[in-house]
Amino acid sequence: MTPFITFEGIEGVGKSTLVQATAKHLAKANIRYCLTREPGGTPFAEQLRAVLLAHHDERILPATETLLMFAARAQHVANVIKPSLTAGVWVLSDRYTDASFAYQGAGRGVDMAVIEHLAGFSQAGCVPDLTFLLVAPVALALQRAKKRAVLDRFESEQLAFFERVQDHYLQRAALEPGRFCVIDATLRLSDVQAIAFDRMKSL
C-alpha cells in the first residue's frame, strides 16, 4: 500500500520545514511523492484557504470555519490525495483531518461528533498511515511564528487557544500510538529529521 504521511502541530514548531526535508529525502531515494497541504492542495481549495486565513471585519463562526475546512478537504482528497495513492505516489500532506479535531474541535469548541461525521463524509476512506506531530512549549512556538512578516487569522490567536490545540493533538497521539510519531520540536533540526526518517523505514 502506498504511504500517506501527514504532518501536524501548532504554528512555529517547524512542521513545514520537516515536510520539505522529507520530500528531499524521498527524492534522493528515487521515490515518487506528492507534496501538498491543507487547507488547500487544489486550485479551488487554495481559494478557500485564502478565505480561511484572511482577516475579516465580519466574525467567522466556528461552524462556518469548520464547513469551509471540510469543503476544501473534500476537493483535496478527491482530486489530489486519492488519485496519487492510487497511482502509487507517496502523499506528504502539511496538515489533514487531525488538524480539524485540534483547531476547530478543541480550539473553537465545535462538537467533536460533528467533526467526526464530516471527516467520514469527506475523506473517502483516506486515512494517514503515519502522522508526525511536532510539539514544543506553546509560548516558544508562538514566539517563532511571530517572527513572520504578517500573521494570518489563525496565527493571531491567543496562547490559550494554541494550548488547547496542542493538548488535543497529544491526546489523539496517545490514542493512536501506532500512527503518530511525536517529535520534540526543540531538538536540533538534524535530530528531528533523523527521528522522522528512521520512523519512515517501517512503512
Side-chain angles (χ1 to χ4, degrees), residues 95-137:
R95 296 199 193 285
Y96 191 54
T97 307
D98 289 304
S100 288
F101 284 99
Y103 279 79
Q104 283 74 57
R108 304 291 190 208
V110 175
D111 190 332
M112 294 294 183
V114 171
I115 296 176
E116 191 74 53
H117 177 74
L118 290 171
F121 181 64
S122 65
Q123 286 182 175
C126 289
V127 178
D129 299 291
L130 172 61
T131 297
F132 290 116
L133 172 60
L134 278 74
V135 297

Side-chain angles (χ1 to χ4, degrees), residues 34-49 72-73 75-77 79-81 93-94:
C34 168
L35 182 60
T36 189
R37 68 179 181 177
E38 288 207 350
T42 78
F44 180 66
E46 286 292 332
Q47 291 183 52
L48 292 178
R49 177 189 179 88
R73 182 163 297 126
Q75 292 294 119
H76 191 210
V77 170
N79 296 333
V80 175
I81 297 175
S93 184
D94 187 338

Side-chain angles (χ1 to χ4, degrees), residues 118-159:
L118 290 171
F121 181 64
S122 65
Q123 286 182 175
C126 289
V127 178
D129 299 291
L130 172 61
T131 297
F132 290 116
L133 172 60
L134 278 74
V135 297
V138 176
L140 175 62
L142 295 185
Q143 186 177 22
R144 290 177 179 174
K146 287 177 180 178
K147 291 180 181 178
R148 298 167 188 169
V150 179
L151 298 180
D152 64 36
R153 191 169 62 87
F154 285 92
E155 292 168 340
S156 301
E157 284 294 340
Q158 299 300 307
L159 185 139

Side-chain angles (χ1 to χ4, degrees), residues 27-98:
K28 287 181 181 177
N30 293 314
I31 294 174
R32 292 191 304 156
Y33 67 88
C34 168
L35 182 60
T36 189
R37 68 179 181 177
E38 288 207 350
T42 78
F44 180 66
E46 286 292 332
Q47 291 183 52
L48 292 178
R49 177 189 179 88
V51 171
L52 282 160
L53 269 57
H55 294 278
H56 303 277
D57 292 333
E58 179 182 0
R59 176 176 174 260
I60 305 302
L61 296 173
T64 304
E65 179 180 290
T66 302
L67 290 169
L68 287 174
M69 284 288 185
F70 277 102
R73 182 163 297 126
Q75 292 294 119
H76 191 210
V77 170
N79 296 333
V80 175
I81 297 175
K82 203 164 187 178
S84 296
L85 294 173
T86 300
V89 177
W90 289 41
V91 174
L92 309 178
S93 184
D94 187 338
R95 296 199 193 285
Y96 191 54
T97 307
D98 289 304

